[in-house]
Amino acid sequence: MTHPPVRLVLLHHAGGSRLAYRGWERHLPAEWEVRALDAPGRGLAHGLPLAPRVDDMALSLLDRALDGLDRPLALFGHSMGAAVAARMAGLLRAGAGPAPVWLGLSGWTARPGRGRAVAEAMTDDEVIDLVAGLGGTPSEGLGDPLWRRMVLPALRADLAAMAGFDPLADTDWLHVPVSVFGGRDDPAVSQARLAALGAAAHRLVGVHVHPGGHFYLIERAGELAGQITDDIREALRATTRDPRLTTRGT
């Protein structure tokens, strides 16, 4: 069977950058266009101000996700990136552009944030303890003053944006074909919550649980990319059978 080329947009975790997906294109179909994007205020987007809200982040990234688009669009995000991907999918279905054919949500369960005030009140040490508990940064980096100066502002802004985000205020994104991914031992995202997110999706493609914690994908990029490829192709087959699957309001 001939599969159409796809643009796959990859969105990173809080405090991270597109480098979280470095080398992923080697594991994905050669005919696909893979775009790993930096959120505002870091990497290739360092000239942009940090986004105070998930909505601001999603709107900023939409332009880059859609630039020159000539093929089906798929979105994959991990942790904060999953929240941003969901918001982008909702905006696209509401008319901001062509609806994505697939939405991959990793390390996230669509639970509303605790409120910006809680995140903004956290001390630097509390933020670092949170990151350390998730296993996202080597312990030697957490105590490095240069690391703190470079990473903490973006990390704090991202945590505040997530804390103020309610993904269920607009659930249009749940109508996009969805796949859910997570780590079996993730302290922040239980398997039960992953299953609940999958059950909430109107068109669930798959739920995939991997060995590992919150950042399971670092060690399992090849296996994860294979599942993403299979699930996107399944979503495309479903869309071919019924084009209404990617239109607004279905």
Side-chain angles (χ1 to χ4, degrees):
M1 176 181 294
T2 300
H3 299 284
V6 169
R7 175 180 291 177
L8 174 61
V9 171
L10 304 173
L11 303 164
H12 61 77
H13 58 278
S17 74
R18 74 189 191 287
L19 297 180
Y21 298 109
R22 182 168 47 193
W24 272 46
E25 65 277 357
R26 296 196 303 268
H27 304 294
L28 292 159
E31 69 273 17
W32 286 15
E33 179 189 359
V34 181
R35 287 195 178 188
L37 300 182
D38 288 307
R42 73 222 66 196
L44 295 177
H46 69 277
L48 298 175
L50 293 167
R53 302 182 307 152
V54 168
D55 276 25
D56 300 319
M57 213 175 297
L59 285 167
S60 176
L61 290 166
L62 269 180
D63 286 341
R64 284 177 275 159
L66 297 176
D67 182 42
L69 183 66
D70 62 353
R71 59 191 66 196
L73 175 68
L75 303 172
F76 174 88
H78 177 68
S79 198
M80 179 188 78
V84 176
R87 189 69 190 106
M88 289 170 69
L91 289 167
L92 289 167
R93 277 185 52 88
V101 296
W102 177 84
L103 176 61
L105 304 173
S106 170
W108 182 69
T109 60
R111 301 182 78 174
R114 299 175 296 170
R116 293 185 63 89
V118 175
E120 290 170 346
M122 293 176 70
T123 66
D124 287 352
D125 286 341
E126 287 172 335
V127 171
I128 288 170
D129 287 344
L130 175 63
V131 174
L134 295 176
T137 302
S139 57
E140 59 270 20
L142 295 171
D144 183 352
L146 178 61
W147 180 90
R148 289 185 179 225
R149 191 162 59 251
M150 291 178 61
V151 176
L152 266 178
L155 181 56
R156 289 176 80 63
D158 291 348
L159 291 176
M162 285 292 289
F165 179 54
D166 181 0
L168 301 180
D170 179 358
T171 57
D172 215 21
W173 58 273
L174 285 169
H175 292 268
V176 176
V178 167
S179 293
V180 178
F181 303 83
R184 185 174 301 147
D185 302 313
D186 187 340
V189 180
S190 70
Q191 291 185 58
R193 292 295 306 176
L194 287 175
L197 176 56
H202 291 247
R203 297 181 177 90
L204 179 66
V205 183
V207 176
H208 308 283
V209 179
H210 292 260
H214 190 65
F215 290 96
Y216 71 93
L217 68 174
I218 294 174
E219 300 295 332
R220 313 197 76 84
E223 182 180 348
L224 182 55
Q227 291 171 340
I228 289 171
T229 301
D230 290 344
D231 283 9
I232 290 175
R233 286 176 169 167
E234 174 55 32
L236 285 167
R237 283 192 290 269
T239 302
T240 300
R241 293 192 295 266
D242 185 354
R244 295 172 299 169
L245 293 182
T246 55
T247 59
R248 180 179 178 181
T250 60

